[in-house]
Amino acid sequence: MEAGTVTVTTEDKQPEAATKDLAAKDASQDGSKAKDGAKDGKPATERKRARNLSEDKRFRLFSGTANPELARKIGEHIGVKVGETKLQRFADGEVFFQLLENVRGVDVFVVQPTCYPVDQHLVELLVMIDALKRASAARITVVMPYYGYARQDRKDKPRVAISAKLIADLLTTAGANRALFVDLHAAQIQGFFNIPVDHLYASPVLVSYFRELNLPNLMVISPDPGGVERARFFAQKMGAPLAIVDKRRTDMNVAEVMNVVGDVKGRTCLIIDDIIDTAGTLVKTVDALLNAGATAVYACASHALLSGPAIDRIANSRLEQVVVTDTVPLREAAQKLPKIKVLSIAGLLGAAIESIHMETSVSTLFN
């Protein structure tokens, strides 16, 4: 039924006066709907979002080259295929990107973490956003499972850049209307954006896994004071006590573990972190816990960057297991390492994308 049309069946026989009143009421309501629809140039019925995303012509999911497998899994979860694009590079590495589908007036989601090579994937994302904006997409939501440069979120030394803010400005200037992240290194990075930001946590996925393991005499460990809030949330969900490892960072990717704050003797320890980069801090934390009397040590993190010697360090460490998510793709050597277990957050991201598109609450996913 089109907006402004009133349908009366043969069973709707009413007195003439009542019929006139009903018609006047319907006309008033339809006029109000038409007026609302005129706000964006579309009838109100067209602006309603389809419940089944596979049938929603005003929804598209695209992916860059950073983690296409995650984008494919998200598409499977919400019942859509990843959109067709053409991405090539000139001989000097310059990005060429072209959309092969019409996105005019469409609600678009672009999946692209800024993992290694960070700068290459970042520029690729910016070019994709610009192409979508110039193709008249109605709204562009950047889905960044891993937000690169998040570790540079403040001036902790003289004459250094606040790169996390710079990247936020670049994304907004390129044309992003909204952003979706998983486990930002610091939650206050959301304030660097002048567009709506949805910040998800991988904790629900990780908690479910460790509940099934049912580790004995468990204690949750924060590897540094900055991660206490993240570890405390995990400890509450697991019903376990919390301890902190005090460390002093002497240089980038170099940390010296000082001491363990809390009694871990006889405990199974679970280290909670957001990023595992070179795994230097992780291995030193494991040694500190075992030296303090812990019986076994597990670790989990949202983003397994695993740069440089990380895989060898984990393989040669006394860790029982390292559990990570697929926010970034793992190198082949990491996938073959028995100590590393990968959990997918495609379902979590898919549910968030559905909620954003359907304009429903995302906060329920935090549980």
Side-chain angles (χ1 to χ4, degrees):
M1 181 176 72
E2 297 180 357
T5 303
V6 179
T7 302
V8 180
T9 64
T10 54
E11 296 178 357
D12 292 331
K13 295 179 181 179
Q14 302 179 33
E16 184 176 351
T19 303
K20 288 181 180 179
D21 290 341
L22 179 63
K25 182 179 180 181
D26 287 343
S28 175
Q29 291 177 346
D30 288 341
S32 176
K33 290 179 181 178
K35 185 177 180 180
D36 289 341
K39 290 179 182 178
D40 56 6
K42 306 182 188 74
T45 51
E46 287 186 18
R47 291 188 295 113
K48 292 180 179 178
R49 309 204 187 274
R51 291 302 303 178
N52 188 346
L53 293 187
S54 63
E55 300 174 359
D56 195 335
K57 295 181 179 180
R58 297 199 175 277
F59 174 88
R60 291 289 187 281
L61 178 70
F62 291 99
S63 173
T65 62
N67 199 346
E69 180 62 18
L70 176 59
R72 184 189 63 78
K73 290 179 181 178
I74 293 172
E76 287 181 351
H77 179 81
I78 60 180
V80 299
K81 291 183 178 180
V82 178
E84 294 292 327
T85 61
K86 181 179 181 181
L87 197 151
Q88 296 177 322
R89 291 186 178 274
F90 292 97
D92 65 348
E94 185 179 316
V95 179
F96 170 82
F97 177 78
Q98 181 184 11
L99 293 159
L100 301 181
E101 296 182 8
N102 177 29
V103 296
R104 186 179 297 274
V106 171
D107 191 13
V108 176
F109 292 79
V110 184
V111 181
Q112 178 82 334
T114 49
C115 50
Y116 178 85
V118 179
D119 299 342
Q120 179 176 306
H121 287 143
L122 175 61
V123 173
E124 185 179 302
L125 175 59
L126 296 174
V127 172
M128 293 176 70
I129 295 171
D130 185 72
L132 288 163
K133 179 179 67 174
R134 296 178 189 279
S136 301
R139 183 174 67 174
I140 304 168
T141 301
V142 175
V143 181
M144 297 179 70
Y146 171 64
Y147 183 72
Y149 287 99
R151 286 172 284 187
Q152 302 176 55
D153 61 342
R154 64 194 184 280
K155 285 191 67 174
D156 55 352
K157 297 177 182 178
R159 299 173 296 281
V160 297
I162 304 180
S163 304
K165 168 60 175 170
L166 173 62
I167 303 307
D169 290 342
L170 287 173
L171 293 171
T172 306
T173 301
N177 304 114
R178 193 178 191 99
L180 174 62
F181 304 117
V182 177
D183 273 324
L184 288 168
H185 187 62
Q188 61 266 26
I189 290 175
Q190 298 173 75
F192 291 170
F193 288 84
N194 293 323
I195 57 176
V197 171
D198 289 295
H199 185 204
L200 298 181
Y201 300 92
S203 298
V205 177
L206 297 169
V207 166
S208 296
Y209 176 79
F210 281 103
R211 278 179 175 168
E212 291 178 2
L213 283 186
N214 194 26
L215 299 175
N217 207 16
L218 181 66
M219 175 173 274
V220 174
I221 309 295
S222 173
D224 55 65
V228 170
E229 184 177 352
R230 184 184 304 108
R232 183 184 293 116
F233 174 84
F234 209 100
Q236 289 174 346
K237 292 295 182 181
M238 295 294 297
L242 175 67
I244 303 170
V245 174
D246 178 34
K247 72 177 182 182
R248 180 174 299 167
R249 188 171 294 281
T250 57
D251 202 352
M252 288 187 299
N253 297 120
V254 179
E256 180 183 351
V257 174
M258 304 301 290
N259 61 313
V260 179
V261 182
D263 185 9
V264 298
K265 189 174 182 179
R267 295 275 190 174
T268 300
C269 293
L270 174 58
I271 302 170
I272 310 296
D273 212 345
D274 61 327
I275 298 172
I276 300 177
D277 195 354
T278 62
T281 300
L282 176 62
V283 171
K284 288 182 179 179
T285 302
V286 172
D287 291 340
L289 292 170
L290 290 173
N291 292 338
T295 57
V297 181
Y298 292 74
C300 70
S302 306
H303 313 300
L305 306 185
L306 303 182
S307 308
I311 297 173
D312 289 336
R313 284 174 173 172
I314 291 173
N316 298 323
S317 72
R318 293 185 283 174
L319 272 165
E320 299 292 329
Q321 190 178 51
V322 179
V323 182
V324 298
T325 72
D326 57 352
T327 56
V328 299
L330 264 65
R331 288 186 286 167
E332 187 176 352
Q335 294 175 11
K336 293 180 179 179
L337 189 63
K339 283 188 178 182
I340 298 178
K341 170 74 174 179
V342 183
L343 305 177
S344 181
I345 60 163
L348 183 68
L349 285 170
I353 288 172
E354 282 184 312
S355 294
I356 293 170
H357 179 65
M358 309 295 287
E359 298 177 353
T360 60
S361 175
V362 178
S363 61
T364 55
L365 302 177
F366 297 160
N367 296 323

